[in-house]
């Protein structure tokens, strides 16, 4: 747990330093000709519970595309200690796609559908191999070094104006229903495992900084 807190602090400190650096190409608002920020500087801060990336994960990311419909996130998480085992850190690279967004009120909007694909790894030597299976060596043909995950979800967003004095432009609450490659293998290979048993629910918060 201590390792996770130190790593996350250094990670967010680096991201904050990058946000203050003016050496990257600027993002220009073509309609008004004003500089909005730097292209390669993280503009998203995300905290998420569960989702096959640990009990809790946090990280930074980038949104891009004409409508900001693409997001790339880099997140650190942790699996709490249990049964005498130490807590383990996780690392996740996540890609989100938001097909459309719908305004529902003044400064409020919803994303009816979000699609995510991400790769997670547990940073522990215990997971650098293949999972043990009583069904034989060929049951799991993928290494458990990484897990490949897919998720669908929805989001609601509240926008803020610069006059309100916040350092962020918006706050988003979201939920996702996800599964991973090993869970799908279980479902497809073992008839006693239903689809509902391999799905997981996660919730999170996303800040878009100025």
């Amino acid at each position: 747990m201590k390792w996770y807190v130190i790593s996350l602090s250094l990670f967010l400190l680096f991201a904050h330093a990058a946000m203050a650096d003016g050496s990257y190409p600027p993002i220009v608002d073509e309609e008004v000709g004003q500089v909005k920020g730097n292209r390669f500087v993280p503009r998203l801060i995300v905290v998420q519970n569960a989702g096959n990336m640990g009990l809790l994960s946090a990280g930074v990311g980038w949104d891009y595309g004409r409508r900001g419909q693409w997001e790339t996130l880099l997140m650190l998480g942790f699996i709490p200690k249990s049964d005498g085992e130490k807590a383990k850190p996780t690392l996740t690279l996540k890609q989100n796609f938001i097909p459309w967004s719908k305004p529902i009120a003044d400064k409020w909007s919803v994303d009816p559908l979000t699609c995510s694909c991400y790769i997670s790894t547990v940073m522990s030597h215990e997971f650098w191999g293949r999972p043990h299976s009583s069904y034989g060596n060929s049951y799991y043909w993928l290494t458990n070094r990484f897990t490949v995950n897919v998720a669908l979800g929805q989001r609601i967003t509240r926008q803020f104006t610069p006059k309100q004095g916040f350092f962020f432009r918006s706050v988003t609450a979201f939920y996702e229903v996800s599964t991973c490659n090993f869970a799908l293998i279980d479902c497809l290979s073992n008839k006693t495992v239903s689809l509902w048993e391999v799905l997981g629910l996660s919730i999170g918060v996303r800040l878009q900084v100025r």
Side-chain angles (χ1 to χ4, degrees), residues 57-78:
S57 299
V60 297
W62 300 259
D63 59 337
Y64 47 94
R66 256 182 211 182
R67 297 175 288 102
Q69 72 272 29
W70 293 98
E71 296 176 354
T72 300
L73 307 174
L74 184 61
M75 305 180 69
L76 282 171
F78 79 97

Side-chain angles (χ1 to χ4, degrees), residues 1-17 58-60 76:
M1 182 64 180
K2 184 185 296 185
W3 188 96
Y4 168 75
V5 172
I6 294 173
S7 299
L8 180 59
S9 300
L10 292 174
F11 183 62
L12 294 178
L13 181 62
F14 171 78
H16 176 74
V60 297
L76 282 171

